[in-house]
Each structure stands twice: as C-alpha cells, then as structure tokens.
Amino acid sequence: MEQKFPEAFAEFTEVCKTLENHYRDMQDMEFTVEHGKLFMLQTRNGKRTAQAALQIACDLVDEGMRTPEEAVAMIDPRNLDTLLHPQFDAKALKASEPMGKGLGASPGAACGKVVFTADDAVAWNDKGEKVVLVRLETSPEDITGMKAAQGILTVRGGMTSHAAVVARGMGTCCVSGCGDINMDEENKRFTLAGKEFHEGDYISIDGSTGNIYDGIIPTVDATIAGTFGRIMGWADEFRTLKVRTNADTPADAKKARELGAEGIGLCRTEHMFFEEDRIAAFREMICSDTVEEREAALDKILPYQQNDFEALYEALEGCPVTIRFLDPPLHEFVPTEEEDIKKLADAQGKSVEDIKAIIASLHEFNPMMGHRGLRLAVTYPEIAKMQTKAVIRAAINVQKAHADWTVAPEIMIPLSCDTKELKYVKDMVVATADAEIAAAGIEMKYEVGTMIEIPRAALTADEIAKEAEFFCFGTNDLTQMTYGFSRDDAGKFLDAYYDAKIFENDPFAKLDQTGVGQLMKMAVANGKATRPELHCGICGEHGGDPSSVEFCHEIGLDYVSCSPFRVPIARLAAAQAAINSK
C-alpha cells in the first residue's frame, strides 16, 4: 500500500494514531482506498487473547496512555483461565470434530486412555499411562483416581457436582453431565455418537467448552508471561477484598499461594479420610456398636488428620486456615465392592450380612438434606472431638516450630440452621480445644464459626452470630436449598429454561443476586448487628466468578475463597469491584 498509494498510506497511519490515542486501546479498523482516496469505514477495540490482553495493558501504561488502575479494569478476568491450564494444539483442534458435548466444568484440555474406576486410574497411572476417568458420577471415594487422571468425564452432574468442584480445586480438566453417553460400568464400556468405547481406548476432552473428541488431540502446556505478575501486582494494590483458596492438600495450598491466595477459606476434611491407610479405620468407626469402639477407631485416624493439618499450616506460612468439620453423609464412606465388605466384616468380627445391614441402614432418600454436617456431630460427638484435637495439636506444633508466625485456627461447623444446635456442638469443640491448649501450656487464639448454607441460618443470622465468630457462605448448598434444585440433576432441565428465556444462566455458576444474594446481604447485616467484629466470607464455587465477586464486595464480605486455579481471576475481579465502586 505504501508503494501503490503513498499519500493514502501516510494519511492512514496518521488516522491510526489519532484513533488509538482517542480510544486509548488497540483498534480493529476497516478501511478502503478508491482512486487513491482513503475512506475509513469502522473502528472498534480489537479482540485479543488473554496473553495479548495482559501485554497490551502493560504497553498502554508504559506509553502513558493508561493508568495502572485503568489497565486492570480493561482485562476480562474470565480469560485468565486459558493462561493457567493446558490447551489443545490449535491446528489439531481445528481439524477435529467433537463427537459429544457436556458441561465445561473445569477448564483445560486432556487426552488419554479411558478407565472406569478410581483404582484403575491409579494402576494405569502407576504404569506411566495418561488416563481419562469416565464415571456415571463421582463421589469422595473416587478422590485418588481423580488425582491420577489427566481428565474426568461424567454422565451426570452439573457445574457444582462433586466431579466439577474437586476437579477445579485440583486444576484438572473436567467435562460433566454428558447425558448422551450410554454407560455400562459393569462391563467397563460406554457408547457415544454410535461408537462403543472400552477400557484403554483414547479420548480427548475440553473442560472449557465441554467438547468430547474421539482419539488423541495433542495438548500444549500453559505459559504465564511476565506481564501476568505485573497486572496481578496492580490488582492487589486496588482491591480491598481478600482472596483465599479452597484446598484440602498441601500441594493445592502451595499452588494457591503461588497464585496469590492469602489463606484457606475452606478445607474439606472428608477428602482426607479416603487415603488407603485411613479409610479402613473410618469404616470401622461407622460400623462400631459402642462409643468406646468408635473412639478406638477414631484414635487411629487422629494422627493422620493432625499430620494433614500441620502440613496445611506449614504451606500457608501463618496465613489463616479455615477447617470445615466432617460434612458428607456416612453412606459415602462405606464400601460397595464385595471384597471390601468382606475385609471390613473380618476386621470388625462381624458377618458380611451384618455389615450389609449397617450399610443398608445408612441409605437416605435425600442424603444432601439428611444426616450430615453438624448433625453428625450431634449424633456422634466423638467425631467432632477427634477433629478438634487434630486441629489444635497441629496448630500448637506448627506455632512452636515458627515463633514468628501467628497460627490461629478457624474451625467451621457446617450446615447449622439453629443457634441451639450450633451452641451444642461449639461448646463441645471449645471444651476440647481449651483442654488441649491448657495441656500444652501455651497461649493460642482460635475461632469457631459456621457455614451459612441453609436459608433458615441466613434468616436467623442475628441469633446464629451469638455463637458463631465468623460466617462463611457455602453458596453451592445455599443455592440448591433456596431454589429447591439438585445441583447434580439440574443440568437435565436447565437447558430448557435457557431456551424458554426463563433463566439466562446457571445459578450454580453465577450467583443469583436477587434471591440467594439477598439472603447473604441480610445475613451479613444482621450478623454484624449482633457481633460487630464478625468476619464473613464465601467459599462456594461462586467465589471465583467475577460478577459474584463484585456482589460480595458490595455487601461487605471480608474475603472470597475459590479453587486454587481461580485465585488470579478472583484477585482481578476484586480489584475491578473496588475500582467500579469508586
């Protein structure tokens, strides 16, 4: 152009400078040249990849066109996901057609051989094979296999199903709720798009789009450019909302710390029970006939729990750690395989029929609203006492080893709905904790709070705050109970709601500010009216959603907590919320 139309080219370069200086952003301009005359047709802010967005923002600051505050406000936090997870090779992906689609439940890309059980995932992984774990749905019992897999694919479940939440926490690719899969778990095979897949066959899944592909699509590792740290540094200057992480292992906690987490807002202790060396003892506890037998079984688990908590405190280097006591119903821990049932029967001195009868007695029609959370502590106080001992003993040991740290455990009692039940469990926790601290001969502060995940707890927050020293909103369950939707089953009908324009988005992925949000707003205001020093946070999956983070800033929460790989998203969203509020 410069050679053919030198005058038009010179004019064009000047117009480009004028437009970029005016809009103070990279422009996508359309133009034409007719008979040597330049005509500008259109301009708009140019589309960009996440990595380019960071680079452009930094360049604009360096050129004096934008302030750091404006640069932070320019970037879409959701796009940061692509910087933190492996992606499919662009050329290979373009040449591939998806054979099915589920929900993009945890971002990233994965390919590997199909396996159908957690044990098989571990066994194949130990042989050096990359695997994709395919299940009807996952449960806490599958945690070891989920860790071993490159990716997770489920037939059932939504964006906040067990598979989705755990996968996001581990940074593992996950596609959930692909109802088109016809699963035959017993024979280790499934059918999708007319093709039958067996153990060892290759598939590829995209946790961002939910697409499922036959065969192998090569992946490329994520790369974080130097501009990432610079933008995050600016974001931290502007935000007032703290950002913690949901982490159950030292590895997750360390990764979250690397990505800027300022503490743990949720440690799910039940995930610690499923390791091979402790699940047997926990099953003994469930099948015990007396309190003494239960306490003997729990005594076997206590050292493991204590070591787990010590490792978490070490990883967080004195930052706050909130530990949620046992939450799921007990049926999730009992064996399902005949061989495991027999092993448990032999260990207990019971018959296989006796164990099967106990397992059958634990069945509930609606376990998510059944015998779980602090209801377990009311029924079996010895569980809460054991966990309290583990939390406090771990904190004492780490505090002694690091005198310059302040280790102040935050014990979170889940699923409370009444101040009397909370007081009953809290009194037991406090008595146990105080006895441990007195026996150690040191001074240590700790807090006992609760998870607000039942609407009644939000509505009676002024009463709940008399016993709770902090609130943490478990918005996965709070959304479930407010809507009356099962978060694992809602995916079956939500598409029809979107098509009918009843809903615009999934309430489990983006916080419902009109209903659930108003319960939260009310709970914060009423809770702080009773206890002005009450600190409040959110640890549901909404803690990593940008629009939800902005709402949390508006209602005065102290922190948001999200899975490790969503920490940068929350940091940037919190900064933008503070900037917008001005």
Side-chain angles (χ1 to χ4, degrees), residues 298-346:
L298 289 167
D299 282 343
K300 298 177 185 178
I301 300 171
L302 195 154
Y304 293 119
Q305 282 258 282
Q306 182 178 329
N307 290 338
D308 289 336
F309 296 143
E310 284 184 25
L312 280 180
Y313 291 137
E314 291 278 357
L316 268 294
E317 301 173 323
C319 292
V321 177
T322 303
I323 294 168
R324 182 182 74 184
F325 277 8
L326 188 65
D327 184 47
L330 294 180
H331 81 268
E332 291 193 3
F333 299 93
V334 294
T336 55
E337 300 292 330
E338 195 74 26
E339 183 183 340
D340 292 331
I341 292 173
K342 187 175 187 313
K343 192 185 298 182
L344 179 59
D346 293 342

Side-chain angles (χ1 to χ4, degrees), residues 116 134-136 153-155 181-186 188-191:
F116 292 88
V134 183
R135 303 281 286 156
L136 270 175
L153 172 61
T154 67
V155 180
I181 290 175
N182 186 1
M183 178 71 89
D184 182 359
E185 281 188 312
E186 189 176 341
K188 294 186 177 181
R189 63 189 180 193
F190 72 87
T191 305

Side-chain angles (χ1 to χ4, degrees), residues 457-518:
L459 293 168
T460 60
D462 53 341
E463 290 294 316
I464 298 277
K466 291 176 182 177
E467 297 300 330
E469 293 171 280
F470 64 87
F471 286 169
C472 189
F473 292 95
T475 50
N476 297 347
D477 271 357
L478 186 58
T479 299
Q480 179 169 239
M481 296 198 187
T482 303
Y483 272 90
F485 289 169
S486 162
R487 65 190 191 198
D488 290 321
D489 298 321
K492 294 174 185 175
F493 58 80
L494 281 178
D495 281 343
Y497 273 58
Y498 307 146
D499 294 342
K501 303 291 188 290
I502 298 170
F503 286 175
E504 290 183 6
N505 46 55
D506 183 348
F508 293 105
K510 184 177 180 180
L511 184 67
D512 162 43
Q513 298 178 17
T514 308
V516 178
Q518 291 311 302

Side-chain angles (χ1 to χ4, degrees), residues 398-407:
V398 174
Q399 184 67 80
K400 286 179 177 177
H402 302 278
D404 54 328
W405 294 357
T406 301
V407 182

Side-chain angles (χ1 to χ4, degrees), residues 49-51 78-94 96 104 106-111 130 150 171-175 204-211 213 216-224 565 569:
T49 64
Q51 206 155 354
R78 293 167 297 186
N79 290 342
L80 296 182
D81 250 347
T82 59
L83 296 177
L84 303 169
H85 301 277
Q87 302 295 314
F88 286 129
D89 176 77
K91 287 183 180 177
L93 185 62
K94 199 170 183 181
S96 304
S106 180
C111 59
K130 291 184 176 181
Q150 299 294 306
T172 300
C173 168
C174 176
V175 174
S204 300
I205 60 174
D206 189 329
S208 299
T209 63
N211 286 338
Y213 301 88
I216 296 176
I217 301 177
T219 59
V220 291
D221 289 335
T223 55
I224 298 177
F565 285 90
I569 295 172

